[in-house]
Amino acid sequence: MTCPQCKHENIAGSLFCDVCGADLEAAPAGGDPEIGSVLTCATCGHQNDADFVVCEACGQPLDDAEPASPIPAPTPAPPAADDQPPEMPPRPLLDENQPPPPVPSSSTPAGQVPGQLASGPRRGKVKLVVEQGLVLGKQFLLSDDRMLVGREDAEGQIFPQIDLTGLDEGYVHRQHAELTFEGTFLFVTHLGGHNRTYVNNRPIADQLPHPLNIGDTVRFGKVVLRVVEV
Amino acid sequence: MPEPLRLRVALDKPSRPLTGDFQTTVLIEAAPARALRRLSLNLGILLDTSESMAGAKLNHACGAVEGLAAQLQPGDVLSLVDFSTDAVVRLRGAPAGPATLQRVSDVLDRLRAEGVTNLQRGLDTVLSELRRHATAERSSFAVLLSDGYPTTTQGYVDTRQTPYFLRVDREMRDHGVSLSAIGLGDAANYDQAFLRRLADSGNGRFHYCQSVGELVTGFSRELMHLQRSVLADVMLHVRGLGGTIRRLWRVYPDKKLFHAPEVIDGGFDLPIGVLQDEVPQAFLLDIVTGARPAGRARLMEVAASWRMSDASRVEPQPVVLEWTDEAPALAQRNPEVVRLAAECLDALLEEELEEAVASGSLAQQTSVLARKKQLTARLGKTQATRVLEEMEESLAAGEPISQDALARSSQHTKPTQRLG
């Protein structure tokens, strides 16, 4: 169930978009063409609301971003010409009567090495989306080689890149886990606190990097996040 | 004799497609029967007497506490704790009556405003005091009045809020003590989001009093609410869960987001505290189910229990979902549940707005505000929409949203209009 405003893939049956809160059941047909338009960030590819000044995923200015309609309208095919490359067929519009597509599977696809992301593990092209927690749909772009997951503690000078403060009332440790890109692999390492880190509902060992794939869920304290391609 | 507690369940969509994961929102409402016997109160007042309360604030607060003591009914007991750098018990479980009224007056006359706001000590003291006077016939409540940010004993603002929430939440779960909070003064001088979340953790209510004149009304309104308590230690029991829980909200009488509960053997218990006469509590549960062959299947069972000598349990009620690919069935919606889900989203956007204001980013504030205003207007909340328009005007003038406007917006967002 794709959100018409932010293009986030919501679980079928959702009444509102987990990310931007848009009403997923309101009919957008015949509306103002400006409503629902998005700005694609030139740096990370994230699609932002049209009125955003900076990218909500990576924080880069959106001055150079190209506005785009979230659901491209089909355009009439130009007359065939031998010297023109063939055009891609228009993207089919969603049929409301058809069952929605299933959510990504959490198992590793056949032929894929654990820890290796399906579309290439480029930093800035993978994000974590909160699926269970106090703020559903919040996203964290994985843009650094090494990222601490935890809660901010200004007095202790702990400022995690994946800051789960406010998403969980006390079950996430200040230094809970670490996410690392190593070559073409993404790993999560539990840093040893009492409240465990889980991958696909199974606790992982302390201080031992555990591979993560697209579609996997990872739980810190009581917050469940899914690894999603940007 | 009618059941003391009635349960009602409804689904946003009674049917789902055969394939793929699908989210269904379940409404669970627990409503006490009319004319149940009122429970006595075990009430603890926690009064902030830090330096910032000096003058009119403390005078009015004392007047409000005196007024509250005068409204107590036979069987009620009152404890009074004041806190600043330390916490002191001024009154220990005194029974309602003229003698207690005189003692309250004497105690309040001697209070002085000085020192820092050591809320942690204050909470520990009033909660343990309430535990001493708890009995099966009384429901326990703490009411906190504060005008400032909680501080450490050295006077630094205490930024670690989690321990406060956990303390209050644990007391509510283990000993059934609810906590309400009253914030006094300009919202810029205290953290209204903190006090509201503290009251949420304690299953209580938050009142915002901008001026000292509103204090008496705030206390009085809270007492009237508490005096309507009829069922204590109410617990919802969900069993045989046929899916994964994504989110759990209390949606009526006001909104509170819970952690998704830990499911053990396909079920969980949810303590909801005390129920007041004619005030149901309603919850929304987002459940994701997987593919199945066509047909109807049990999504879960809901039961409830409470503290009472007999008939203290509602029998489990099945909640059934249909798997189908019939378009007319899939198109069915329950407008009541859909509206309540929108109310929850409105509360979530309020929290996002608070975060945006805290971040200082005008772009972020503008973006969240636009979404919230759209939703608030669609819900038909005209007063709340007006507050949001004021915020828009501030942003258009290049000024950030004020804490006062934020507090008023929160006051409009938090409560939910009566169901049905």
Side-chain angles (χ1 to χ4, degrees), chain A residues 23 70 114 133 141 184 187 197 224:
Chain A
D23 187 345
L141 187 74
T184 55
F187 293 97
T197 297
V224 179

Side-chain angles (χ1 to χ4, degrees), chain B residues 53-209:
Chain B
M53 284 289 289
K57 282 185 186 174
L58 187 59
N59 290 340
H60 277 77
C62 290
V65 173
E66 268 190 275
L68 181 141
Q71 291 175 54
L72 292 176
Q73 296 186 5
D76 296 346
V77 294
L78 176 69
S79 301
L80 177 62
V81 175
D82 79 286
F83 73 102
S84 51
T85 307
D86 205 348
V88 181
V89 183
R90 305 286 180 182
L91 204 63
R92 291 182 186 277
T100 295
L101 213 51
Q102 185 58 47
R103 282 178 65 196
V104 168
S105 180
D106 294 344
V107 162
L108 293 174
D109 281 346
R110 289 200 297 272
L111 289 184
R112 297 289 172 268
E114 55 191 4
V116 299
T117 312
N118 188 354
L119 178 58
Q120 187 77 60
R121 186 68 61 84
L123 279 177
D124 285 343
T125 310
V126 76
L127 293 177
S128 53
E129 194 58 34
L130 282 171
R131 220 183 293 168
R132 286 183 187 195
H133 309 292
T135 65
E137 291 75 35
R138 293 182 190 139
S139 50
S140 300
F141 296 96
V143 179
L144 160 70
L145 170 73
S146 181
D147 77 328
Y149 291 95
T151 63
T152 61
T153 48
Q154 285 82 36
Y156 297 110
V157 170
D158 194 349
T159 52
R160 288 172 298 186
Q161 301 183 342
T162 305
Y164 297 93
F165 302 141
L166 290 179
R167 175 78 176 90
V168 170
D169 179 68
R170 197 172 60 237
E171 200 70 17
M172 203 280 289
R173 285 173 181 274
D174 296 349
H175 302 285
V177 179
S178 299
L179 180 134
S180 293
I182 298 176
L184 170 63
D186 192 320
N189 294 331
Y190 70 94
D191 189 346
Q192 62 106 6
F194 166 71
L195 286 181
R196 194 186 62 233
R197 289 182 70 188
L198 193 67
D200 275 347
S201 303
N203 227 18
R205 308 194 308 167
F206 170 63
H207 301 270
Y208 165 51
C209 297

Side-chain angles (χ1 to χ4, degrees), chain A residues 16-225:
Chain A
F16 301 98
C17 174
D18 284 343
V19 174
C20 70
D23 187 345
L24 296 175
E25 301 214 313
D32 184 342
E34 286 301 312
I35 294 174
S37 64
V38 295
L39 284 178
T40 305
C41 174
T43 309
C44 72
H46 181 75
Q47 292 188 315
N48 299 275
D49 285 355
D51 54 349
F52 278 24
V53 180
V54 296
C55 174
E56 65 174 347
C58 68
Q60 293 298 312
L62 290 171
D63 299 342
D64 301 332
E66 286 294 324
S69 174
I71 302 176
T75 50
D82 291 343
D83 57 347
Q84 285 185 338
E87 271 209 9
M88 292 289 286
R91 178 178 167 171
L93 293 172
L94 294 173
D95 181 353
E96 288 181 357
N97 293 326
Q98 290 298 314
V103 295
S105 160
S106 61
S107 59
T108 305
Q112 190 183 327
V113 182
Q116 189 167 28
L117 303 171
S119 62
R122 283 180 298 159
R123 284 189 294 112
K125 294 293 181 189
V126 184
K127 62 187 177 183
L128 291 178
V129 181
V130 177
E131 287 217 334
Q132 192 174 299
L134 293 182
V135 184
L136 221 59
K138 192 175 174 72
Q139 304 187 0
F140 299 94
L141 187 74
L142 305 186
S143 53
D144 295 336
D145 277 335
R146 193 169 287 273
M147 286 155 290
L148 177 65
V149 181
R151 282 187 294 114
E152 181 181 309
D153 177 10
E155 287 178 19
Q157 292 291 302
I158 298 169
F159 300 100
Q161 286 88 348
I162 311 293
D163 184 2
L164 300 181
T165 310
L167 299 184
D168 176 288
E169 290 176 359
Y171 298 94
V172 174
H173 298 289
R174 281 170 287 178
Q175 300 185 72
H176 195 106
E178 191 175 59
L179 291 165
T180 46
F181 280 98
E182 290 178 20
T184 55
F185 297 91
L186 172 64
F187 293 97
V188 59
T189 308
H190 184 70
L191 297 179
H194 177 73
N195 296 327
R196 314 294 313 167
T197 297
Y198 295 75
V199 174
N200 296 329
N201 284 328
R202 290 176 183 276
I204 62 172
D206 287 357
Q207 305 291 348
L208 199 64
H210 189 285
L212 279 179
N213 288 293
I214 294 287
D216 282 351
T217 59
V218 54
R219 173 149 74 94
F220 307 109
K222 291 198 170 187
V223 186
V224 179
L225 304 103

